[in-house]
Amino acid sequence: MASSSGEYDVIVERNLEVPMRDGTILRADVWRPDAEGKFPVLIERTPYDKTGSSESNLGAGEFYGSHGYVVLIQDVRGRFASDGEFYPFRDDGDGENKDGYDTVEWAAEQSWSNGKIGTIGGSYSGATQYRMLSTQPPHLKAQFSRQSSADYYDEWVYRSGAFEHGFNVMWTLKHTATNARKLAATGAEDATDKSVNQASDDYQKWLEHSPISPLPPVAELHDWFTDWMNHPNHDDFWEEFSNARSHDRVNVPVHHFGSWYDCFLAGTLRNFSGMSSKAATAEAREGQRITIGPWVHNPGPADMREAGDVDFGEQAILGWFETRLRWFDHWLKGIDNGVDTDKPVKLFAMGINEWREFDEWPPAAVKNTPFYLSAGTSGSAKSLNDGVLSLEKPTLFGEVFDEYDSDPENPIRSFGGGHLGDNNGPRDQRGYEDRMLTYTTEILEDDLDVTGPVKAVLHASTSAMDTDWVVRITDVHPDGTSMLVCDGILRGRFKDSFEKPVALVPHMPTEFEVDLWATSHVFQKGHRLRVAIASSSFPRWDRNWQTGKNNALDSSGIVAHNRIFRDEVRPSHVILPLL
């Protein structure tokens, strides 16, 4: 619970009715100063129950209410106390219904409001913020959005063509189960009580179930999960749910707050970059800020110092409520506190565990540098090959490669990384590298500062019509610990297009670019840097049955024989942004 010490006592009002343009009633709880006058308003719109949302659980109403703000936390359409039908993301943006817009403008008209509205929240409550920007509510003045997406195809439901299986199966089961009242109204009481609630508790079992779609506990209850599974490509269906398409309509300052080990990191970076360059007004373009810390996905990340297996120290703690109070004090109260002159980019450098500020993303001083998969043995890894990673480009002629089999019935298990679920964040990968190809540098003689976007360029082939390429970057400590820094996946048939994937030609060497998103990590002197390659990471991402079909609809596949080339003509490498 946040400290609520401030100059005001706080009044709480429950279930205020907020009418939408189509007549649907959404309900909100309101915390406001116990005093005469009008105050700026902070809004969170959540599907997770306004009485137990990330903001209400942390005490945002009490904290900001005591500091002279009204806090309004609302159940989105079709969730908990609010009427209507819930379909993720649909009614929060610029579609037929504009629930975000209508909520902001309703709040601006209330007797306790001074007409200056800000928005708070993260994850889905970050999505409801980003979605409303395309509608330009006249009274919206600023946002502070935590850990959310720019594109719900590539940063929520899929990633580079692979289904975000662990997250979305858990999310679908959980939030169908908590919609019991809505489902009961449709005559689905038995399914809700006996199937969905049990499935939510036992979601690990359903992660192993195939096919993914239909998902039996919710098959007759919600069409949106089926819609997601029937649209594995980035087709017109997903355009409605893209925030990136409307960056040029943004007309308010936004603080984008993210984490290096967050499943929405790419969206945080993409929204900041897009709005900084394309926003509709100079104030909005110049008012974009971004903070990226060393945390996992978390309701109050700036109060955390630990993630995964790593303690990043007291310096990782910024103060979640205080950081946002300073932002809104400037934009909603006009306090001259330096927010407008802060450098736009604030990043936590892992490894040395310190904050650094920059004028742009990526930092201008970055030099993108290839590190090549090379011949030899590093003597540092218990992997399939224990290869070498080098700054020297290979000079070997002919087909030189390392190889392995990818069996979808026996996938490599997920461990660590930017996902929602158990065992996320930076984790020691040694227990999984025995089934992977690894390439490791010599012991570093100087610190190696990697800050910016990271990608792998693989020259590879497969015996199948499709396969996945999973790449991990780890920091190898002197004691051998192989700590995950960043990772990524590419479903092979999407190598040229997420709109129109093409089956791979079996056994043909092909170039693939795997997006590892980004990091800021200093590999210290005496450490090593390692690249690990595989073709699965389950259940974080779904099984690729390697047939070239829609994996969500199948239950069996084939073993693929995969090769990674590392010769002069096909020099597989990673590209690291060095400061």
Side-chain angles (χ1 to χ4, degrees):
M1 182 72 68
S3 169
S4 59
S5 60
E7 65 176 293
Y8 298 102
D9 292 329
V10 179
I11 298 172
V12 184
E13 297 178 273
R14 304 288 182 183
N15 288 314
L16 273 67
E17 295 189 353
V18 185
M20 299 294 102
R21 63 188 58 205
D22 66 343
T24 300
I25 300 298
L26 308 189
R27 293 175 177 84
D29 293 344
V30 170
W31 292 255
R32 58 185 177 83
D34 185 8
E36 296 295 325
K38 297 176 180 289
F39 303 91
V41 183
L42 302 178
I43 296 173
E44 181 195 23
R45 305 189 61 250
T46 178
Y48 302 137
D49 187 356
K50 57 186 170 55
T51 66
S53 74
S54 60
E55 296 295 347
S56 59
N57 277 343
L58 291 173
E62 293 84 355
F63 180 87
Y64 293 113
S66 74
H67 286 82
Y69 291 86
V70 176
V71 176
L72 184 153
I73 302 181
Q74 178 192 67
D75 290 329
V76 299
R77 180 181 293 252
R79 295 293 286 166
F80 295 94
S82 290
D83 297 340
E85 179 190 4
F86 176 64
Y87 192 106
F89 318 123
R90 183 184 61 192
D91 298 303
D92 301 314
D94 56 359
E96 182 177 349
N97 295 314
K98 298 177 175 60
D99 292 353
Y101 179 103
D102 292 348
T103 301
V104 167
E105 294 308 299
W106 178 89
E109 295 173 356
Q110 302 311 299
S111 61
W112 30 255
S113 171
N114 69 0
K116 294 183 178 181
I117 312 297
T119 57
I120 56 176
S123 197
Y124 197 103
S125 296
T128 59
Q129 293 189 68
Y130 285 141
R131 293 284 286 147
M132 76 169 65
L133 286 170
S134 62
T135 68
Q136 299 181 327
H139 290 91
L140 180 66
K141 302 303 178 185
Q143 294 187 336
F144 199 111
S145 184
R146 168 185 63 82
Q147 298 171 321
S148 200
S149 297
D151 186 300
Y152 301 112
Y153 170 82
D154 201 41
E155 300 149 8
W156 192 294
V157 181
Y158 294 89
R159 176 168 172 180
S160 296
F163 176 50
E164 287 278 3
H165 181 64
F167 163 39
N168 283 291
V169 169
M170 174 185 68
W171 195 85
T172 300
L173 291 173
K174 178 179 179 181
H175 300 302
T176 299
T178 56
N179 225 22
R181 182 177 65 81
K182 304 294 182 185
L183 296 168
T186 70
E189 297 94 337
D190 289 344
T192 300
D193 294 340
K194 297 178 182 178
S195 177
V196 182
N197 285 302
Q198 185 64 41
S200 177
D201 293 338
D202 299 337
Y203 82 92
Q204 292 283 358
K205 180 185 82 170
W206 292 105
L207 292 180
E208 306 293 333
H209 180 269
S210 61
I212 298 171
S213 181
L215 184 61
V218 301
E220 303 301 323
L221 304 177
H222 279 314
D223 56 358
W224 46 266
F225 183 79
T226 302
D227 289 345
W228 290 356
M229 296 301 92
N230 287 339
H231 292 273
N233 308 339
H234 198 300
D235 55 21
D236 290 342
F237 169 81
W238 293 105
E239 275 304 294
E240 178 183 356
F241 307 115
S242 170
N243 297 320
R245 67 177 170 80
S246 56
H247 284 161
D248 61 353
R249 303 206 68 209
V250 175
N251 62 358
V252 298
V254 182
H255 196 133
H256 312 265
F257 202 89
S259 308
W260 295 125
Y261 294 99
D262 178 40
C263 55
F264 306 131
L265 169 63
T268 300
L269 292 165
R270 188 176 175 191
N271 280 324
F272 167 75
S273 296
M275 295 180 199
S276 295
S277 62
K278 299 177 182 177
T281 67
E283 181 183 66
R285 290 191 297 273
E286 294 167 6
Q288 302 302 310
R289 297 291 184 270
I290 188 169
T291 301
I292 306 290
W295 316 292
V296 296
H297 195 82
N298 184 280
D303 293 329
M304 307 296 292
R305 57 180 285 172
E306 297 181 6
D309 294 329
V310 179
D311 183 342
F312 291 99
E314 286 291 331
Q315 56 271 26
I317 298 176
L318 293 177
W320 183 225
F321 283 96
E322 294 76 12
T323 298
R324 297 188 298 174
L325 181 64
R326 179 172 176 261
W327 177 257
F328 288 117
D329 276 352
H330 178 79
W331 291 114
L332 301 189
K333 292 186 175 182
I335 295 175
D336 185 10
N337 56 15
V339 160
D340 56 331
T341 59
D342 289 344
K343 287 200 172 187
V345 179
K346 184 172 185 174
L347 309 177
F348 189 89
M350 300 178 292
I352 57 173
N353 294 348
E354 64 180 42
W355 290 99
R356 301 186 296 194
E357 296 182 350
F358 301 93
D359 292 318
E360 67 285 293
W361 173 263
V366 160
K367 180 180 180 181
N368 291 317
T369 305
F371 283 69
Y372 295 95
L373 315 188
S374 300
T377 301
S378 80
S380 65
K382 295 180 179 179
S383 64
L384 295 177
N385 66 322
D386 186 24
V388 170
L389 189 67
S390 173
L391 286 168
E392 301 298 323
K393 188 174 181 180
T395 58
L396 299 171
F397 290 97
E399 289 193 345
V400 182
F401 54 81
D402 298 307
E403 57 190 343
Y404 59 91
D405 286 336
S406 169
D407 182 358
E409 298 284 359
N410 184 28
I412 297 173
R413 307 298 291 194
S414 311
F415 189 66
H419 65 91
L420 287 176
D422 298 333
N423 298 316
N424 57 358
R427 302 280 182 176
D428 186 357
Q429 300 296 303
R430 284 178 293 180
Y432 301 83
E433 290 172 349
D434 61 336
R435 297 183 59 194
M436 307 177 75
L437 300 177
T438 65
Y439 303 87
T440 312
T441 65
E442 295 181 350
I443 295 173
L444 298 174
E445 297 181 357
D446 297 291
D447 288 355
L448 189 70
D449 190 335
V450 178
T451 297
V454 180
K455 71 176 180 180
V457 179
L458 301 182
H459 296 267
S461 69
T462 179
S463 61
M465 297 179 70
D466 191 25
T467 197
D468 290 345
W469 306 111
V470 176
V471 181
R472 298 173 180 170
I473 303 287
T474 67
D475 183 340
V476 182
H477 295 218
D479 66 359
T481 299
S482 182
M483 195 65 72
L484 184 62
V485 173
C486 62
D487 60 1
I489 188 170
L490 174 65
R491 185 141 291 171
R493 69 179 187 270
F494 291 91
K495 73 178 188 65
D496 294 323
S497 171
F498 295 119
E499 293 79 16
K500 297 180 180 180
V502 176
L504 303 179
V505 178
H507 305 292
M508 177 178 287
T510 305
E511 182 175 294
F512 301 90
E513 286 195 5
V514 185
D515 187 356
L516 278 62
W517 287 2
T519 192
S520 181
H521 186 95
V522 178
F523 296 80
Q524 294 181 286
K525 177 181 178 181
H527 290 220
R528 300 174 187 249
L529 185 151
R530 176 173 294 157
V531 174
I533 299 172
S535 290
S536 55
S537 183
F538 180 83
R540 178 181 179 183
W541 293 304
D542 64 324
R543 303 173 195 264
N544 188 340
W545 296 114
Q546 301 177 149
T547 61
K549 300 177 183 178
N550 185 342
N551 291 285
L553 309 182
D554 281 349
S555 299
S556 62
I558 62 171
V559 175
H561 187 71
N562 294 343
R563 291 177 171 177
I564 305 295
F565 293 87
R566 48 176 180 79
D567 52 61
E568 185 178 53
V569 177
R570 291 167 286 265
S572 295
H573 57 282
V574 293
I575 299 177
L576 303 181
L578 302 187
L579 268 177

